[in-house]
Structure formats: C-alpha cells, structure tokens
Amino acid sequence: MADTSFSPVPQREEDPGYRVSRRNKIWFVLGVVLLVLVVGGVVVWVVLRHMKRNSWHGRGTTANFSLVLQSRCSSYRRDPQTVPGPVDCTKIVEAFENAFIFKDPCKITEEDYEPLLKLTKQSIPCGKVLLWSKTKAMAHRFTQQRQDLFTLEDALLGYLADGLSWCGFPDSNAMNYQSCPTRGDCKENPVSVFWDVASKTFAQGACGVVNVLLNGTRSNAFDENSTFGRVELHTLKASALHVWLLHDQEGEPSDTCSGSSIAHLESIASGKSMTFNCQDIKSLDEMRV
Ligand code: JS2
C-alpha cells in the first residue's frame, strides 16, 4: 500500500523538486529585483523631468504677474490719441496670459501673441519714435522729459511688460515662479519672443524720421545681433534714420559716428533708401528731436 504520509520538502540537491524550487526562488528574486529597478527608474525619471521643468537659467515669472499687468494697463496715460478706441484691460491681461500658459516655454511663437497685439494696437505719430540699444535708461530719461516721443516701453504694449518675466508649463495652467528659460536655454521662450514681436510691430508702425540712441562708450555702438540690429532696423520702412551716439562726459569715446559699426549701420539704412544721419553727443540735452 502507497506511503500517503506527508512528504517533507526535498532536502538533497539531486531531488528534482529541490532544483525546481531553487530555480523558482531565483526567478522570484530576479523578478523582485527587476520590479524594483523598473519602479525606481520611473520614479527617478519623473523626479528628473520635474526638476528639468523647473530648472531654467532665467528668473521665474514676476510675482502677481496678472495683477501687475492689470494695474499697468489701467494706469497707462500716454497720449490717448495714439490708442484707437477704448482699452479693454481684462481682455488684454487674458490675451497676454493665453500667449504662454499651457504651452511649452521653449515653443512659443509670434502667433501666440497675435491676439494681444490686436488689443494693444497703437499708431505713433511720424517722427515720434525713439529706438535705443544699450542705452535703455538714458532713452527713457529723455522720453520722460519729452512726452511726445515714444520708446517701445512708452507705448502700451512695452509699458505693460517692461522689466517683467513670465513663463508656464506645457501641461498645466500654472505659471512657473521658480525659473524661466533664457535665450541661452531656448530662443523661442515667452519673453524673448514677446520683445522680438513687440519690437517688430513697433518698428513697422514707425514713419518719417526715426531716431535711435546708441551707446558710444561701447566699442561696437551698433550691434547687429541686438534687437535693434536684428529686428527693428530690418523692419523699418521710415524715410530717415537719425543716430544719436551718446558718449559719457569723462571717458574716451570707444565708438564714434565715423567708426566702422556706424558705417555698417549706414550701409544697411541706405540699402533701405533711408537717409542717414549720425551725431556724437555728450549729453541728452544735445539731442535735437
Ligand atoms: C525692454 C526688453 C524689457 O529699440 C529698443 C526697444 O525698442 C527694445 O524693444 O529693443 C531695442 C533695444 O534692444 P537691444 O537693441 O537688444 O538693446 P539692449 O540694450 O541689448 O536691450 C536688450 C533687451 C531688449 C529686449 N528686452 N526691452 N524692456 O524688460 C526687456 N527685456 C528684453 N529682453
């Protein structure tokens, strides 16, 4: 009669059961290790992706960004003649936000800002546009005195965004207050694309004599890679370009109207059949605009 008593786990190696259970143990352990590796890998990937999303080299979105826009929009007081029709600040703030929220901050296009450009359309009288390059503070000091003249930052669109930073995420309606991409991180970032399209629109509207304030304390007063050299100059359809090359009182001029960079600027302006004039000045009082 067969021995039905409980048969103990096979102890010896030559027992076939032993080898099977040992193999099962090995597969089980391998399975667990693999699972831990996969889960670990996914966790590391998610964390890295989150960190990458948050780790741009530029400063994050300006605190209370939309509130700042709203208050700047309602406090904009420059010559209302230049703004056709009532300014709808709620729509303007919404259009600005929609230009970059829920979008990859490295894939922003000029089209994203189209609705905002439409809502902030402004026609600056001929001869009243002042462009600048590496002379922001001086240019704004001049237009503070001469309220009839406009830099881009005196026009509604530039006034709204001057000095601010903003960017979002491709898959959330939040704004990124930690960091935003610089031009070095990616060219199609919200701020760079904004100033390029705003500068292009501003230059497109310029007519008559366009004045530009350049910095004579720099060896390359006209920098072809600047926003003025890269965007505005090539967009201008004005009749004349008048350069004011500002030198500081004390220092030796590094570049002058007879310098090579200005000669290059003149060739581009003449190529666009704009009459060209350049004047070296030591102070803003010498600017005859
Ligand atoms: C203003 C900002 C920001 O003619 C001027 C303006 O119309 C401007 O839009 O572009 C021209 C100046 O730019 P450029 O020639 O590159 O001179 P820069 O001194 O090197 O200024 C660099 C910044 C221009 C664009 N931009 N403009 N307010 O807050 C601001 N942020 C950026 N990136």
Side-chain angles (χ1 to χ4, degrees):
M1 184 168 92
D3 173 6
T4 57
S5 64
F6 165 74
S7 62
V9 174
Q11 293 305 322
R12 297 189 307 287
E13 293 241 358
E14 56 276 9
D15 292 353
Y18 176 83
R19 279 199 300 283
V20 172
S21 71
R22 186 172 149 75
R23 202 172 37 246
N24 290 353
K25 263 199 213 108
I26 291 168
W27 279 121
F28 174 75
V29 170
L30 281 178
V32 169
V33 168
L34 199 59
L35 190 62
V36 168
L37 281 177
V38 169
V39 170
V42 169
V43 168
V44 168
W45 178 74
V46 168
V47 169
L48 283 180
R49 197 170 74 95
H50 180 73
M51 284 169 62
K52 185 180 172 313
R53 276 177 54 185
N54 280 328
S55 60
W56 304 109
H57 294 89
R59 65 190 162 115
T61 300
T62 305
N64 312 314
F65 179 74
S66 302
L67 281 179
V68 170
L69 287 183
Q70 187 72 40
S71 75
R72 285 186 179 188
C73 182
S74 39
S75 66
Y76 181 74
R77 284 288 168 276
R78 276 290 174 129
D79 171 354
Q81 312 299 328
T82 62
V83 182
V87 171
D88 182 333
C89 290
T90 310
K91 276 217 185 94
I92 286 174
V93 172
E94 203 180 306
F96 206 135
E97 292 168 343
N98 294 342
F100 66 94
I101 286 178
F102 252 122
K103 292 178 182 166
D104 181 332
C106 277
K107 292 198 179 73
I108 303 296
T109 66
E110 296 199 355
E111 288 65 39
D112 291 324
Y113 285 107
E114 264 324 301
L116 176 63
L117 295 180
K118 284 199 178 61
L119 290 166
T120 55
K121 241 183 165 9
Q122 194 167 4
S123 46
I124 311 296
C126 289
K128 297 299 183 183
V129 162
L130 176 64
L131 303 178
W132 53 270
S133 193
K134 327 292 181 199
T135 56
K136 184 180 178 183
M138 301 304 267
H140 290 164
R141 188 183 303 171
F142 190 70
T143 56
Q144 277 324 307
Q145 295 155 5
R146 289 285 305 275
Q147 296 273 319
D148 61 315
L149 292 175
F150 289 76
T151 64
L152 170 55
E153 297 72 36
D154 298 312
L156 176 56
L157 185 59
Y159 179 78
L160 288 172
D162 192 20
L164 304 186
S165 177
W166 59 92
C167 67
F169 301 103
D171 49 10
S172 91
N173 66 355
M175 294 183 188
N176 187 340
Y177 292 98
Q178 272 72 41
S179 66
C180 286
T182 59
R183 196 180 270 280
D185 290 328
C186 54
K187 276 200 168 39
E188 275 67 41
N189 68 71
V191 173
S192 299
V193 172
F194 170 85
W195 287 108
D196 279 2
V197 72
S199 301
K200 186 163 78 173
T201 310
F202 189 58
Q204 268 159 357
C207 51
V209 177
V210 169
N211 292 277
V212 57
L213 183 61
L214 298 182
N215 188 330
T217 66
R218 299 171 64 94
S219 56
N220 211 13
F222 169 58
D223 169 3
E224 205 162 7
N225 302 318
S226 66
T227 311
F228 167 64
R230 202 172 28 82
V231 178
E232 294 168 328
L233 179 60
H234 300 288
T235 310
L236 283 177
K237 293 189 293 304
S239 56
L241 184 66
H242 196 143
V243 175
W244 302 89
L245 197 48
L246 182 61
H247 304 286
D248 65 11
Q249 317 294 351
E250 284 79 46
E252 275 314 297
S254 313
D255 201 350
T256 66
C257 285
S258 51
S260 57
S261 82
I262 299 299
H264 182 39
L265 174 55
E266 178 167 10
S267 64
I268 297 170
S270 315
K272 293 168 64 73
S273 48
M274 287 195 289
T275 53
F276 182 82
N277 186 304
C278 180
Q279 233 165 301
D280 293 296
I281 55 175
K282 281 209 167 298
S283 80
L284 294 178
D285 311 344
E286 296 173 49
M287 276 177 80
R288 296 282 170 279
V289 178

